[in-house]
Amino acid sequence: MLDKSCNTNGQCKKIDNGQTREQKPWNVEPSTIGNNCINPIRLTIEKLFSKSVTEKSIISLAIGDPTLYGNLNPSQESIDALVKVVQQGKHNGYSPSMGLQTARQAIADFISVDGAKFTSDDIFICSGCASSLETSITALADPFKGQNILIPKPGFGAYKTLAVTINVKVKSYDLIPEKNWEADLNQLESQIDDKTTAIVVNNPSNPCGANYSKQHLQRILDIASRHRVPIIADEIYEKLVYPGKKFVSLASMETDVPILVCSGLSKSLLAPGWRQGWIAVCDRAGVMTEIRRILESLGQRINGSNSLVQGAIPEILQNTPQSFYDDAAAKLEKQAKVVYDRLSHVKGLTPYMPEAALYLVVKFDLEKFPDLQNGLEITKQLLNEESVFCLPGECFEMTGFIRIVITSPCDVLAEACDRIAKFAERHYVE
């Protein structure tokens, strides 16, 4: 006869043939890596989104998903290419860890512009741009050697999440709002030490919508070259630069700095759920042979990304006209101007007009809002009082700011800005 009885602490007495003996209690503890994994954006959204207490409908301007309101959609060419692949039934199996050769060649051709030159061997397909960033950080930074990477401040919160999850240390370099969010070059250089193995450069940027000039990028490259530090270039918003502005890829510039360019389909093609990203290796000095091997090995962890989208990539990239990207960028600029124009005249607020991407940041002069201590408090009260949901600047390490996603239709953004203005007027103290 075998029986067990357990107390509330999970400690059991095992009864076997009339004999009893104590068994140790269950002790299922989370891993260090699991404990380290905190995504500030997702955490904030999941904690706050359902907490509006007004009768007004919630206007969500928090997450960078261009599909949320249905006014920004993938190109018809992309949809047709994907449907064709599904119907053909040729790409239902696993793909090579680096990705399908046809897809890698199409990506290489697509990004070989303005002096940048890539072959299919330079391309490593990943499951979205976040996966590209994770793989790049993992390939370059060794937690067992106490190494660190430099990330922009303010910057996309996932950089820190991806690094600290695997015990890689992060150090920040400042972006200067008065200079269109350019990097503080002296401060950036002062952060580099003998344990620094990569500098993350986000251009165009999240959350600020900056679009760096060729001259500024060259100065960053000069610092990286001087200290022999590779660059991880997050260029996911490369096709969403507003009319009259030009995007410059780091890979298009003459440099000996090895660069891992991370990008994908999600933002430019307005299809984040398709989860298709890539790393493009730019290595004019020929020093990344071992890193290429590691990138391929890391790709083997998931047996390749979405094979259906990979199968469609050649037709997606070849058939989607430039006018699609131009129209999307123009629409985003128009929507950003709605927010900028309406909030520019509100006392205590300073909006920053972006030059690219999906976001606009707004600074609250906290001295004029004594009952609002920081961006998190602003976000909470704005949601509670006006049912407008933005992200606090603290998600990007900037205090006293909120980030507004400008992908919603103009009428929705106008209504949101009117509510934000009423909120600011209610809390403003002269």
Side-chain angles (χ1 to χ4, degrees):
M1 176 181 178
L2 182 65
D3 189 19
K4 289 184 179 180
S5 61
C6 301
N7 61 27
T8 57
N9 295 321
Q11 190 169 7
C12 300
K13 289 184 178 181
K14 185 176 181 181
I15 304 172
D16 189 2
N17 296 326
Q19 302 295 319
T20 64
R21 65 178 186 272
E22 295 291 333
Q23 284 187 311
K24 68 178 183 179
W26 285 99
N27 185 23
V28 183
E29 296 183 348
S31 68
T32 300
I33 287 178
N35 274 324
N36 287 346
C37 185
I38 299 174
N39 185 323
I41 294 177
R42 292 286 181 169
L43 185 64
T44 301
I45 289 172
E46 290 168 8
K47 278 191 173 182
L48 296 183
F49 184 62
S50 62
K51 294 189 177 181
S52 172
V53 295
T54 75
E55 295 181 356
K56 300 176 182 178
S57 60
I58 292 179
I59 300 177
S60 178
L61 309 175
I63 190 166
D65 184 347
T67 70
L68 189 61
Y69 284 89
N71 58 313
L72 292 167
N73 297 294
S75 69
Q76 188 59 50
E77 292 80 4
S78 299
I79 296 170
D80 291 344
L82 188 55
V83 170
K84 180 180 177 180
V85 167
V86 173
Q87 291 176 336
Q88 286 177 337
K90 296 179 180 179
H91 294 287
N92 294 321
Y94 292 123
S95 68
S97 58
M98 287 178 62
L100 294 172
Q101 200 282 331
T102 52
R104 290 188 287 116
Q105 185 61 58
I107 293 167
D109 294 340
F110 183 68
I111 63 177
S112 291
V113 295
D114 297 331
K117 296 180 180 180
F118 295 97
T119 70
S120 60
D121 291 338
D122 298 319
I123 308 301
F124 297 80
I125 297 180
C126 304
S127 183
C129 191
S131 175
S132 304
L133 292 164
E134 178 194 27
T135 302
S136 297
I137 292 169
T138 304
L140 290 176
D142 191 337
F144 300 104
K145 296 178 181 178
Q147 292 176 340
N148 65 76
I149 63 171
L150 302 191
I151 62 175
K153 178 184 177 182
F156 183 37
Y159 302 141
K160 184 174 182 179
T161 298
L162 296 172
V164 300
T165 296
I166 58 172
N167 286 319
V168 168
K169 298 177 181 179
V170 296
K171 301 173 74 175
S172 300
Y173 64 90
D174 295 333
L175 307 183
I176 306 172
E178 296 78 17
K179 293 187 176 182
N180 294 322
W181 303 102
E182 288 186 348
D184 183 332
L185 297 173
N186 291 331
Q187 192 260 352
L188 185 158
E189 189 161 14
S190 72
Q191 291 290 80
I192 298 173
D193 59 31
D194 61 356
K195 298 290 187 180
T196 303
T197 60
I199 302 170
V200 176
V201 178
N202 181 204
N203 178 55
S205 77
N206 173 14
C208 305
N211 178 48
Y212 291 155
S213 67
K214 186 173 183 178
Q215 292 76 15
H216 186 61
L217 292 171
Q218 185 60 60
R219 294 185 182 105
I220 294 174
L221 285 171
D222 290 345
I223 292 171
S225 178
R226 190 156 55 244
H227 292 273
R228 293 297 191 253
V229 179
I231 286 178
I232 298 172
D234 179 358
E235 298 183 349
I236 189 65
Y237 300 101
E238 60 188 309
K239 289 290 186 179
L240 297 180
V241 174
Y242 300 167
K245 309 295 181 181
K246 180 176 175 56
F247 166 71
V248 179
S249 172
L250 279 169
S252 71
M253 303 177 66
E254 288 295 329
T255 181
D256 64 343
V257 177
I259 305 167
L260 299 183
V261 181
C262 297
S263 191
L265 301 182
S266 63
K267 305 302 185 184
S268 296
L269 278 167
L270 310 177
W274 291 11
R275 308 312 301 143
Q276 203 71 199
W278 57 75
I279 301 167
V281 180
C282 176
D283 182 26
R284 292 185 177 90
V287 297
M288 301 275 280
T289 301
E290 283 300 294
I291 297 301
R292 291 173 185 268
R293 179 181 63 81
I294 293 300
L295 292 175
E296 184 171 4
S297 295
L298 291 171
Q300 294 169 358
R301 294 179 300 176
I302 62 168
N303 291 328
S305 68
N306 187 313
S307 60
L308 294 172
V309 181
Q310 283 192 55
I313 280 178
E315 289 197 15
I316 288 174
L317 297 182
Q318 291 164 15
N319 295 344
T320 298
Q322 181 61 40
S323 60
F324 170 80
Y325 305 109
D326 294 342
D327 291 347
K331 185 178 288 188
L332 289 168
E333 182 188 43
K334 180 181 179 181
Q335 291 163 191
K337 283 182 176 179
V338 169
V339 177
Y340 180 80
D341 291 343
R342 285 181 176 256
L343 297 184
S344 291
H345 305 292
V346 179
K347 287 184 177 181
L349 303 190
T350 303
Y352 292 82
M353 182 64 192
E355 294 187 356
L358 312 178
Y359 318 103
L360 182 150
V361 294
V362 181
K363 181 180 180 181
F364 278 66
D365 182 351
L366 293 180
E367 291 185 357
K368 301 296 185 180
F369 300 95
D371 62 335
L372 302 173
Q373 298 179 356
N374 51 44
L376 184 60
E377 185 65 23
I378 293 166
T379 300
K380 288 180 180 178
Q381 293 304 321
L382 179 59
L383 180 61
N384 289 337
E385 296 176 25
E386 295 291 343
S387 293
V388 175
F389 187 31
C390 305
L391 279 184
E394 282 74 13
C395 287
F396 312 94
E397 298 199 22
M398 54 196 312
T399 298
F401 283 77
I402 61 172
R403 188 196 73 170
I404 294 174
V405 176
I406 49 90
T407 57
S408 308
C410 289
D411 59 334
V412 175
L413 291 169
E415 170 65 21
C417 289
D418 289 346
R419 295 189 195 180
I420 293 171
K422 291 177 182 177
F423 171 81
E425 291 165 3
R426 188 180 308 124
H427 290 270
Y428 183 85
V429 176
E430 192 68 56

